[in-house]
Amino acid sequence: MSLSLEGRTYVVMGVANKRSIAWGISRSLANAGARIVFTYAGERLGKNVRELADTLETETFVYPCDIMSDEEIDATFRQIKDEVGSIHGLAHCIAFAKTEDLEGSFVETSRDGFQLAHDISAYSLTAVANAVQKNDMMAENGSIMTMTYLGGERVVRNYNVMGVAKAALDASVRYLANDLGQHGIRVNAISAGPIRTLSAKGISGFNSSQKEMEEKAPLRRTVTQEEVGNTALFLMSDLSKGMTGETLHVDGGYHIIG
Ligand SMILES: CCCCCCc1ccc(Oc2ccc(Oc3cccc(O)n3)cc2)c(O)c1
């Protein structure tokens, strides 16, 4: 039983640049010997992702995948199965909400903004898990993980509609874990403390959340993409094969503080 992922292949969805949490996860999995299949949305990101992928020592593959389209998800995962073969796990690091819905009062959230945030940040996990299952492309004892945040468990000022979407994502992890467990597929989440990524820039008040963490978190500091990546390695490895439907907080202990 070890942390080695030699001979295994993992899909990582959501790398935007070298500061992405998904990139921290990719490096941890690659350093453990895994092959990595990257998917990205939006052609302008394609170049970034390919350049980053080429810096890894391991064999990598890069595919566009607009998770707003069920047809594109199915086509991409069929293509991955045909060209790469079966996979041993998948890291879902995808979320989005309109900037105006990440500040001010939640009560004013538009129907359109609510639906968009839930479509991209919550439903996409189920859509992807369904595509993997339908294409029968997950090796036995597969592991799916997603990224969530404390704002889905309790109110975090300005996080607003993303918090409601993360609550839906957290519940989805439990229901997917229940459905897929009998097929040997585990589904878990990592709840990360605030990390300065491209996405974090879209949230009003992000900077003060990092400062508050340095003052109040038991570890008195923020966490890094690498620390999240190492926990993802644990979730993808056999060392966590007794765990499913779980959320691991990689947040310096902040979530235990009232
Ligand atoms: C006040 C909150 C402080 C801590 C927030 C930590 C965090 C940082 C980034 C997170 O990921 C996203 C991803 C997309 C997202 O939506 C965006 C991002 C940029 C622009 C935009 O229009 N929407 C917002 C947050 C996330 O879910 C949670």
Side-chain angles (χ1 to χ4, degrees):
M1 204 62 72
S2 80
L3 277 171
S4 167
L5 301 181
E6 285 298 336
R8 297 187 186 182
T9 305
Y10 293 84
V11 174
V12 177
M13 307 182 80
V15 172
N17 61 33
K18 67 179 183 342
R19 299 182 69 165
S20 298
I21 287 177
W23 178 240
I25 292 172
S26 303
R27 279 190 314 188
S28 292
L29 302 185
N31 291 342
R35 295 192 306 173
I36 310 291
V37 178
F38 293 94
T39 73
Y40 65 90
E43 199 33 54
R44 66 184 170 75
L45 282 187
K47 189 168 149 298
N48 264 17
V49 176
R50 274 189 197 84
E51 281 167 8
L52 283 170
D54 290 344
T55 66
L56 293 178
E57 304 281 299
T58 190
E59 190 180 7
T60 59
F61 307 79
V62 181
Y63 295 94
C65 185
D66 168 15
I67 45 88
M68 293 288 275
S69 154
D70 291 326
E71 294 72 31
E72 188 157 334
I73 293 173
D74 197 49
T76 299
F77 278 86
R78 252 204 324 276
Q79 189 180 5
I80 291 170
K81 181 180 182 179
D82 294 346
E83 296 175 5
V84 183
S86 61
I87 62 175
H88 298 81
L90 180 142
H92 170 278
C93 308
I94 297 169
F96 185 80
K98 290 181 181 176
T99 312
E100 65 260 27
D101 294 328
L102 295 170
E103 60 189 3
S105 63
F106 171 69
V107 70
E108 288 163 20
T109 305
S110 67
R111 182 181 299 273
D112 170 58
F114 187 97
Q115 287 177 342
L116 180 74
H118 283 70
D119 198 346
I120 296 178
S121 316
Y123 179 70
S124 63
L125 177 67
T126 297
V128 161
N130 187 37
V132 166
Q133 184 65 0
K134 267 193 332 189
N135 286 297
D136 191 20
M137 61 193 283
M138 185 75 91
E140 68 292 338
N141 302 323
S143 178
I144 294 174
M145 63 149 287
T146 189
M147 292 304 303
T148 191
Y149 177 62
L150 185 63
E153 297 175 55
R154 57 177 195 250
V155 172
V156 173
R157 206 163 71 80
N158 292 315
Y159 198 61
N160 295 3
V161 75
M162 188 60 89
V164 179
K166 290 298 188 184
L169 182 73
D170 295 349
S172 300
V173 164
R174 291 184 284 272
Y175 282 92
L176 289 171
N178 184 47
D179 281 353
L180 300 179
Q182 57 204 313
H183 305 298
I185 298 173
R186 299 181 291 114
V187 186
N188 295 289
I190 291 177
S191 181
I195 295 175
R196 195 171 297 281
T197 60
L198 191 62
S199 292
K201 291 193 173 70
I203 310 176
S204 165
F206 172 81
N207 292 337
S208 50
S209 72
Q210 286 215 305
K211 192 167 168 301
E212 184 171 338
M213 188 166 165
E214 285 158 356
E215 288 163 2
K216 290 188 179 166
L219 293 183
R220 296 288 187 276
R221 64 175 176 83
T222 54
V223 292
T224 65
Q225 286 90 335
E226 185 187 8
E227 287 171 324
V228 173
N230 291 336
T231 302
L233 170 54
F234 165 70
L235 285 176
M236 294 305 191
S237 81
D238 290 344
L239 295 185
S240 63
K241 67 187 182 55
M243 288 172 61
T244 194
E246 186 59 79
T247 295
L248 297 180
H249 292 80
V250 182
D251 67 349
Y254 183 81
H255 72 286
I256 68 174
I257 306 298

